[in-house]
């Protein structure tokens, strides 16, 4: 709420500026966009979207803060369940220190490595089609998870090399390219959002790993 949300709200002011540009898939943004008033409340996708006047979005203020916080907690719990499941599958003893290492692995697989191809995006930033981005991101997470698992746990050098290749494969293929290049969002705002989002993801995964590892170690069957 104190870091990334305020950057999103700032970007929405640029996204909602009067432009006369096409909002259809593949439309090109007008280069003369100017910021809209600061009370803009858009929650629409970042690019290639179609306007939906009847679409619901949380109101600015406490309602938006509540829904953002709730979804963040739900996502964090889901990621923690995935991480603890992988700890159990490894069959190794886990404490908070090893859990911290697991958390850093989760950060690499779910955040940092996918961000090398698809960095976190603000509203109004150029982006590839949503389905293409979702597919590439999902495959990258799976490939990163499998590849890192082989690199860390495989004993044979050939399997370790295979793990490195699997991690690199999505990046060799390449992420989908944006359908448009122009953007009204200032480059420094976009860069701050990318950096802040990755730092917040690292904090989240650190907490998930350390706390999850500590609790798993206490309750792990002996």
């Amino acid at each position: 709420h104190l870091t990334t949300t305020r950057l999103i709200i700032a970007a929405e002011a640029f996204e909602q500026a009067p432009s006369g540009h096409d909002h259809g898939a593949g439309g090109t943004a007008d280069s003369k966009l100017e910021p809209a008033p600061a009370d803009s409340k858009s929650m629409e996708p970042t690019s290639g979207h179609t306007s939906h006047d009847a679409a619901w979005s949380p109101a600015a203020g406490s309602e938006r803060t509540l829904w953002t916080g709730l979804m963040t907690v739900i996502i964090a719990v889901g990621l923690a369940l995935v991480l603890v499941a992988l700890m159990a599958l490894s069959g190794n003893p886990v404490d908070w220190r090893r859990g911290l290492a697991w958390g850093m692995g989760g950060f690499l697989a779910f955040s940092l490595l996918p961000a090398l191809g698809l960095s976190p995006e603000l509203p109004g930033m150029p982006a590839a089609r949503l389905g293409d981005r979702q597919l590439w991101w999902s495959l990258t997470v799976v490939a990163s998870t499998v590849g890192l698992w082989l690199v860390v746990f495989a004993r044979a050098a050939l399997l370790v090399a295979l793990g490195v290749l699997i991690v690199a494969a999505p990046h060799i293929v390449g992420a989908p390219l944006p359908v448009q290049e122009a953007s009204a969002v200032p480059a420094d705002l976009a860069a701050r959002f990318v950096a802040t989002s990755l730092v917040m993801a690292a904090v989240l995964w650190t907490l998930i790993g350390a706390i999850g590892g500590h609790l798993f170690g206490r309750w792990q069957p002996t």
Side-chain angles (χ1 to χ4, degrees):
H1 178 68
L2 298 176
T3 55
T4 54
T5 298
R6 65 184 184 88
L7 299 177
I8 294 171
I9 294 173
E12 286 173 352
F14 291 91
E15 183 189 35
Q16 288 296 296
S19 62
H21 66 282
D22 180 13
H23 283 262
T28 303
D30 195 313
S31 61
K32 299 180 180 179
L33 288 175
E34 295 181 357
D39 61 351
S40 171
K41 298 188 294 184
S42 166
M43 289 288 287
E44 293 185 279
T46 58
S47 67
H49 61 272
T50 302
S51 295
H52 296 286
D53 294 335
W56 177 86
S57 63
S62 59
E63 183 177 323
R64 179 168 182 166
T65 300
L66 174 64
W67 282 102
T68 301
L70 178 62
M71 294 309 300
T72 301
V73 170
I74 291 173
I75 291 170
V77 170
L79 294 176
L81 291 173
V82 171
L83 190 64
V84 172
L86 291 175
M87 291 180 188
L89 286 174
S90 73
N92 297 318
V94 179
D95 55 17
W96 74 266
R97 293 180 181 83
R98 291 186 177 91
L100 188 61
W102 277 94
M104 289 297 95
F107 170 68
L108 286 174
F110 282 79
S111 298
L112 186 59
L113 290 173
L116 295 178
L118 291 176
S119 59
E121 298 160 358
L122 284 169
M125 290 176 59
R129 298 183 187 279
L130 180 60
D132 295 340
R133 283 182 287 152
Q134 290 175 330
L135 178 61
W136 188 89
W137 185 90
S138 299
L139 293 176
T140 301
V141 168
V142 172
S144 300
T145 302
V146 173
L148 289 174
W149 183 283
L150 290 175
V151 169
V152 173
F153 293 109
R155 299 183 181 276
L158 184 60
L159 289 178
V160 173
L162 177 62
V164 173
L165 180 60
I166 292 174
V167 170
H171 306 281
I172 295 173
V173 173
L177 298 176
V179 295
Q180 63 185 42
E181 296 296 335
S183 173
V185 179
D188 63 328
L189 182 62
R192 277 191 292 157
F193 181 71
V194 171
T196 304
S197 296
L198 291 176
V199 170
M200 289 297 95
V203 171
L204 175 64
W205 281 104
T206 297
L207 291 173
I208 287 174
I211 296 173
H214 172 69
L215 295 177
F216 184 81
R218 286 184 59 185
W219 298 332
Q220 186 177 19
T222 56

